[in-house]
Amino acid sequence: MEKVLVTGASGQLGSELVAALREKYGVMQVISSDIKETNDDPNFLMLDILNKTRLREIVVEHKVTQVYHLAAILSASGEWDPKKTWNVNLNGLLSILNLGRDGLINKIFFPSTIAVHGPHTPKQDTPQFTDFTPSTVYGISKVTGELWCNYYHQRYGVDVRSIRYPGIISWKTKPHGGTTDYAVEIFYDAIEKGTYECFLKEDTMLPMMYIDDAINGTIQLMDADKEKLSLRTSYNLAAVSFTPKQISDLIKQKMDNFSISYKPDFRQAIADSWSQTIDDNYARKDWNWNPKYDLEDIVETMLKNLNIKLNG
Ligand code: AKB
């Protein structure tokens, strides 16, 4: 019987991953944890990922078998405090990997990101193996994290699996501190204000993915036969790529009065350093990755669900 611990569980990805894992394993088999208290979760534990002793205690006490380690500081917020970002993103991961090395847990999931790419990486169809010279501390921490995952797998046999997520679009929990966050904010502002001021230029193309695809892909990778996995750094994963103008044009088709303006800030340089489209052949070949949502599906699903959430 699996017992799963999810760190960073209150975040955009965590909140929906916990729900999906609970459908699969049962509510009491999946412990959600985060640095902040939450009161509406029957199986929640407060955990600062830098507290190694508490982490180990939880794993031993609850006989945890798998950890989905989502706790991290993202690309834009990371730039405000590089040292803290490095500490949280890297030392948190090392504590989890050590639990795998010591035989306390059987499987680990580590989320990586398109932020591992940098200004010298080819922007179109970015290959699995390419230049990794990111310009953000978040990107640096994630490339290093990938290398540690690979090292722990090769040296200690730790079963650690990872995906390089693009920007994730969802309506249940808002993202915080990322460069791709505009692609969620735009829907909130369209519904609440009828207008959106975008912090990226209109022609900034970035890879994105709807949350259901991200969750399904994650669980698919974690369920995959380990003999089929040829990569223990992190898998490139693609779904859609679009610009602020393209998504706003589709929103306008559904909301006549919607308008958008552009006021690029420091996040523009981050976005400019990332890939635009991704080659995810390894994921397709090794574990049959196949996303379902295109941009039109995303716009329709987001507007429908957010309208209900915000307007009842
Ligand atoms: C961010 O924008 O920082 C994240 C990411 C692409 O990893 N959404």
Side-chain angles (χ1 to χ4, degrees):
M1 184 54 115
E2 297 294 345
K3 187 92 192 219
V4 182
L5 172 68
V6 181
T7 72
S10 309
Q12 183 197 22
L13 184 61
S15 55
E16 298 206 36
L17 186 59
V18 165
L21 290 169
R22 283 180 177 168
E23 285 256 308
K24 186 171 160 68
Y25 295 115
V27 173
M28 296 321 283
Q29 296 309 115
V30 181
I31 305 167
S32 68
S33 72
D34 210 299
I35 196 162
K36 276 190 233 118
E37 187 79 78
T38 166
N39 26 21
D40 53 1
D41 187 323
N43 196 6
F44 174 85
L45 293 173
M46 220 153 89
L47 173 67
D48 175 349
I49 195 59
L50 294 176
N51 188 340
K52 288 186 221 166
T53 315
R54 180 71 188 125
L55 170 67
R56 201 165 265 257
E57 257 170 33
I58 291 177
V59 165
V60 172
E61 195 181 309
H62 294 269
K63 300 190 173 54
V64 170
T65 58
Q66 297 189 12
V67 177
Y68 287 72
H69 175 47
L70 307 184
I73 300 177
L74 299 192
S75 59
S77 355
E79 294 306 292
W80 297 112
D81 194 341
K83 209 168 141 201
K84 181 175 170 195
T85 305
W86 175 260
N87 194 16
V88 170
N89 291 5
L90 230 282
N91 291 327
L93 170 66
L94 285 172
S95 304
I96 307 267
L97 288 172
N98 285 337
L99 297 171
R101 179 200 60 196
D102 298 346
L104 292 171
I105 47 179
N106 303 331
K107 239 189 232 183
I108 298 169
F109 178 77
F110 169 66
S112 188
T113 161
I114 53 163
V116 295
H117 301 134
H120 306 291
T121 312
K123 296 231 171 287
Q124 305 298 335
D125 280 333
T126 305
Q128 177 67 41
F129 298 100
T130 185
D131 178 279
F132 297 102
T133 324
S135 54
T136 60
V137 65
Y138 171 62
I140 298 171
S141 70
K142 289 291 183 176
V143 183
T144 315
E146 286 189 13
L147 295 174
W148 275 120
C149 289
N150 194 43
Y151 181 85
Y152 270 69
H153 176 70
Q154 287 182 351
R155 173 106 199 243
Y156 306 115
V158 174
D159 189 356
V160 53
R161 305 171 181 208
S162 174
I163 282 172
R164 289 180 189 140
Y165 291 115
I168 293 174
I169 303 176
S170 68
W171 56 271
K172 288 189 185 150
T173 310
K174 278 188 182 175
H176 284 290
T179 303
T180 56
D181 292 7
Y182 93 84
V184 175
E185 283 174 12
I186 193 170
F187 290 102
Y188 278 85
D189 281 11
I191 293 169
E192 289 178 326
K193 304 181 195 157
T195 180
Y196 178 60
E197 186 179 272
C198 186
F199 57 75
L200 297 180
K201 288 196 251 169
E202 65 172 15
D203 58 351
T204 312
M205 175 154 306
L206 287 172
M208 303 274 184
M209 180 179 292
Y210 188 59
I211 185 87
D212 289 15
D213 280 333
I215 302 289
N216 290 338
T218 306
I219 293 179
Q220 220 180 322
L221 170 63
M222 287 299 270
D223 282 350
D225 200 343
K226 67 171 150 193
E227 276 69 51
K228 299 237 164 84
L229 304 182
S230 59
L231 299 172
R232 293 297 183 150
T233 47
S234 189
Y235 279 91
N236 271 5
L237 213 63
V240 290
S241 284
F242 57 82
T243 65
K245 172 146 177 29
Q246 286 169 331
I247 194 170
S248 68
D249 284 348
L250 279 178
I251 296 174
K252 267 185 219 161
Q253 280 178 20
K254 313 237 172 237
M255 295 179 66
D256 290 347
N257 298 332
F258 175 65
S259 67
I260 183 163
S261 58
Y262 298 93
K263 196 171 172 207
D265 64 18
F266 73 100
R267 289 169 281 194
Q268 184 65 48
I270 299 178
D272 287 343
S273 74
W274 289 351
S275 314
Q276 297 181 345
T277 60
I278 304 281
D279 174 350
D280 61 1
N281 267 320
Y282 278 82
R284 288 176 188 265
K285 196 165 54 73
D286 286 5
W287 44 277
N288 300 322
W289 161 246
N290 188 13
K292 306 258 175 311
Y293 285 76
D294 65 17
L295 181 55
E296 289 201 7
D297 300 329
I298 295 175
V299 170
E300 201 175 309
T301 311
M302 286 295 288
L303 287 177
K304 190 174 101 206
N305 287 295
L306 266 187
N307 253 316
I308 298 170
K309 180 176 166 185
L310 301 173
N311 297 327

